[in-house]
Amino acid sequence: MRVAGIIVNYRTAELSVQVVNALRAEMKSLAPFRIYLVDNASGDDSIPRFKEASLKDGWQSEVEIIEAPRNGGFGYGINQAVRRALSLPSPPEYFYVLNSDAFADPGSLARLVAFLDGHPSAGLAGSHIHGPDGKTQVACFRFPSLWSELEDAAAFGVLTRLLHNHVVSLPLPASDREVDWISGSSMLIRRSTFEKSGLFDEGYFLYFEEVDFCRSARMAGFQCYFVADAPITHIGAVSTGFTDETRRMPSYWFDSRSRYFRKHHGVAYAAACDVARILGLLVWHAKERTLGRPAKTRPRLLRDLLAASWTNLLSVSRRT
C-alpha cells in the first residue's frame, strides 16, 4: 500500500464525511490506498452517520472506521490508525494526516508523495494552507523557545525586530523549504519516521503534539519540509472553537505547552519560559495602556498562565 489516510473526528460527523469523500477522490491516483476514520469517542451520532455514509457512498473497501475507546486527543487518535496500519502484512509507505475540517486541493497529496519520493532524507512534509476565502494561514514554523515566548506575548514591534530569528511563525516560503515543524492540519509522514522516532506522544491532548513529533523526527535523523505547491483548504477550529478569543484559553493548551518545554529542555527552562511569557504579557498590557487602547486579550489569560505555571511546578516538585 502506498498511502494510508488518517482523519480524526470529534463531533464533526457531517464535515468528516465530506473530508473522507474528497480525500478518496484525491487518493484514486495512489491506489491501493486506505483511509482510517477515527472517532475519538464523540458520544453523539458520529458512528451511525459514518456507517450510513459507508453504505451510501461505497466506503467498504476503502475506509475503515475506528471507534476509539476514549477521547485521548489528536495524537492519540492518529496513533489508533497508525498502529492498525503498521500491523498489516504490507504496511503503507506513507501516512497522510488530514484534519477533519480540511480538504486537500486537487493534486496536492500526489505532489506531497512525489516530494517524499524524491527526498529520502525527509521524514515528513506539510502543505501550504489557506482558508475557504483563499487567505493564507500560517503553515510552517521554528521550534518555540524562551525568546519566542517573550516575543509572542509582548507583540511589540521593536522587540519582534530584535528577536526576528526567534519568531515561531515563518513567512510563507515561495518554494519548498526545510523547516523545524509543520502544521498537523496536513502532514505526509514516511513509515520509517514512525518506526525510528516513535508515534505521537499521547501525553498531549491538543496542541504542541505536532511540534513534539517533528522534533522527535529530527532527533531520529529526519528532515521536515514545507511543500509550496501542495495546498489545502482549512476551515479551522471546528471541533475546539479555539479561535474564539472571547473564551478563556483551554487548560490543555497550558498543559501541552508545559509538557513540550519540560520534555525537550528541562524543568528549569520550562519555568523560565513561563517567566518570559508573563513578562511579555505585562509589556503588552503596558503598551496598550500607554497608547490609550483597551487591552483586549483572552479572559483571565495572565491569571490562568500564572496558575498553570504554579501547578506544573508543584506537580514536578511532588514527583521529584
Side-chain angles (χ1 to χ4, degrees):
M1 187 192 307
R2 282 283 275 162
V3 183
I6 301 175
I7 298 165
V8 179
N9 171 78
Y10 184 71
R11 299 183 178 180
T12 58
E14 289 301 326
L15 193 54
S16 292
V17 169
Q18 296 175 42
V19 171
V20 167
N21 284 328
L23 185 56
R24 286 173 64 215
E26 285 302 303
M27 296 182 79
K28 295 293 185 184
S29 63
L30 301 168
F33 69 88
R34 193 158 189 79
I35 296 174
Y36 294 92
L37 176 56
V38 183
D39 181 66
N40 259 1
S42 293
D44 59 3
D45 64 346
S46 290
I47 294 299
R49 179 67 184 94
F50 295 155
K51 291 179 178 178
E52 176 190 357
S54 181
L55 293 172
K56 179 182 176 182
D57 299 332
W59 288 3
Q60 292 93 328
S61 62
E62 298 171 343
V63 182
E64 181 174 343
I65 302 167
I66 299 176
E67 297 183 51
R70 61 185 178 87
N71 180 19
F74 186 57
Y76 166 86
I78 293 170
N79 288 348
Q80 299 295 307
V82 174
R83 291 190 183 99
R84 189 77 60 93
L86 288 178
S87 68
L88 295 173
S90 298
E93 185 178 357
Y94 299 120
F95 293 82
Y96 183 52
V97 176
L98 184 67
N99 263 20
S100 63
D101 59 354
F103 298 84
D105 291 8
S108 288
L109 176 56
R111 287 191 284 274
L112 285 174
V113 170
F115 182 89
L116 287 190
D117 281 346
H119 295 77
S121 62
L124 60 167
S127 296
H128 169 197
I129 303 174
H130 60 82
D133 58 359
K135 186 177 179 180
T136 295
Q137 299 177 7
V138 181
C140 51
F141 310 85
R142 293 185 180 95
F143 290 129
S145 66
L146 184 151
W147 296 112
S148 71
E149 288 293 290
L150 175 64
E151 183 280 327
D152 181 64
F156 189 33
V158 174
L159 194 58
T160 296
R161 287 191 291 274
L162 286 172
L163 299 175
H164 68 278
N165 287 329
H166 299 276
V167 176
V168 170
S169 300
L170 291 168
L172 179 68
S175 58
D176 303 338
R177 172 181 170 175
E178 183 182 359
V179 296
D180 284 347
W181 63 280
I182 53 177
S183 169
S185 300
S186 168
M187 47 171 41
L188 185 68
I189 305 169
R190 196 183 298 275
R191 182 181 73 229
S192 57
T193 306
F194 283 118
E195 293 170 339
K196 292 181 180 179
S197 67
L199 276 60
F200 279 80
D201 182 344
E202 296 179 11
Y204 298 92
F205 181 72
L206 278 177
Y207 300 101
F208 287 88
E209 65 275 280
E210 71 264 62
V211 194
D212 176 89
F213 183 78
C214 291
R215 193 173 196 107
S216 296
R218 171 173 286 192
M219 292 169 65
F222 293 101
Q223 296 171 311
C224 175
Y225 274 87
F226 166 84
V227 180
D229 65 344
I232 67 161
T233 302
H234 182 221
I235 298 173
V238 173
S239 294
T240 65
F242 186 81
T243 55
D244 182 359
E245 295 192 355
T246 65
R247 298 165 60 179
R248 292 170 65 180
M249 192 73 81
S251 60
Y252 54 72
W253 183 87
F254 295 104
D255 294 340
S256 293
R257 173 184 167 276
S258 177
R259 181 178 184 85
Y260 172 81
F261 285 124
R262 285 187 284 113
K263 178 177 177 178
H264 294 287
H265 299 286
V267 175
Y269 191 91
C273 287
D274 287 345
V275 172
R277 181 161 283 272
I278 290 166
L279 288 175
L281 283 172
L282 292 174
V283 169
W284 182 80
H285 277 279
K287 178 194 68 173
E288 296 299 290
R289 191 177 297 111
T290 300
L291 295 173
R293 297 192 300 226
K296 294 181 180 179
T297 186
R298 297 267 187 169
R300 294 175 54 93
L301 179 59
L302 184 56
R303 281 178 286 180
D304 286 345
L305 176 58
L306 284 165
S309 179
W310 181 248
T311 299
N312 286 321
L313 283 173
L314 285 177
S315 66
V316 169
S317 177
R318 290 193 190 99
R319 288 198 298 270
T320 302

